[in-house]
């Protein structure tokens, strides 16, 4: 009987704890989340453009954008857990995926350029 009264007490288990000083603010979270949503939307639109035009190289750009999305997810995950020292590997992963994403986006963009130049020569 006593344990039920303690378990039903609203003060136990419902305490609001202050966030750590390194917590991101709500506007900063809004920027992070909206940037990820924007990137995913851009990837979808680029893929659709490749389908509509029949130019498969644009789909390659979508694949090239994927490492950058992984970079963004790494950053958001690390921030979600208040930059926990045990998750610092995510910072290294984010850096690696950023460099990889920059390279793959460049390569995909170059392939699109190269394809356009070849089409000009054939016309």
């Amino acid at each position: 009987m006593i344990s039920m009264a303690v378990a039903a007490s609203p003060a136990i288990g419902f305490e609001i704890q202050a966030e750590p000083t390194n917590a991101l603010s709500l506007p900063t979270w809004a920027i992070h989340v909206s940037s990820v949503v924007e990137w995913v939307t851009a990837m979808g639109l680029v893929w659709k453009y490749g389908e509509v035009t029949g130019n498969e190289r644009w789909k390659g750009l979508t694949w090239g954008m994927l490492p950058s999305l992984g970079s963004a997810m790494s950053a958001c995950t690390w921030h979600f857990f208040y930059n926990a020292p045990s998750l610092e590997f995510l910072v290294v992963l984010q850096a690696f995926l950023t460099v990889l994403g920059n390279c793959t986006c460049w390569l995909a963009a170059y392939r699109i350029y190269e394809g356009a130049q070849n089409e000009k020569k054939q016309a």
Side-chain angles (χ1 to χ4, degrees):
M1 207 55 141
I2 294 172
S3 62
M4 288 181 77
V6 171
S9 173
I12 296 176
F14 294 107
E15 295 178 23
I16 296 176
Q17 297 181 9
E19 289 187 317
T21 56
N22 64 347
L24 298 185
S25 66
L26 186 59
T28 304
W29 270 115
I31 295 295
H32 276 63
V33 172
S34 65
S35 295
V36 171
V37 169
E38 179 182 17
W39 194 256
V40 170
T41 302
M43 289 173 68
L45 290 171
V46 168
W47 186 273
K48 189 68 172 171
Y49 184 77
E51 287 179 343
V52 169
T53 61
N55 186 346
E56 296 293 314
R57 292 173 190 240
W58 285 95
K59 290 183 178 181
L61 180 58
T62 302
W63 285 108
M65 295 169 75
L66 198 57
S68 296
L69 178 61
S71 173
M73 297 306 292
S74 296
C76 288
T77 301
W78 192 55
H79 290 315
F80 182 79
F81 291 105
Y82 303 113
N83 308 339
S86 63
L87 296 176
E88 281 189 8
F89 72 92
L90 289 173
V91 177
V92 176
L93 179 63
Q94 180 196 6
F96 170 73
L97 290 174
T98 297
V99 171
L100 180 64
N102 289 344
C103 293
T104 55
C105 280
W106 171 83
L107 180 61
Y110 182 77
R111 288 184 65 236
I112 293 168
Y113 167 78
E114 190 176 52
Q117 294 302 311
N118 288 339
E119 286 178 14
K120 274 187 186 179
K121 288 179 184 176
Q122 292 176 357

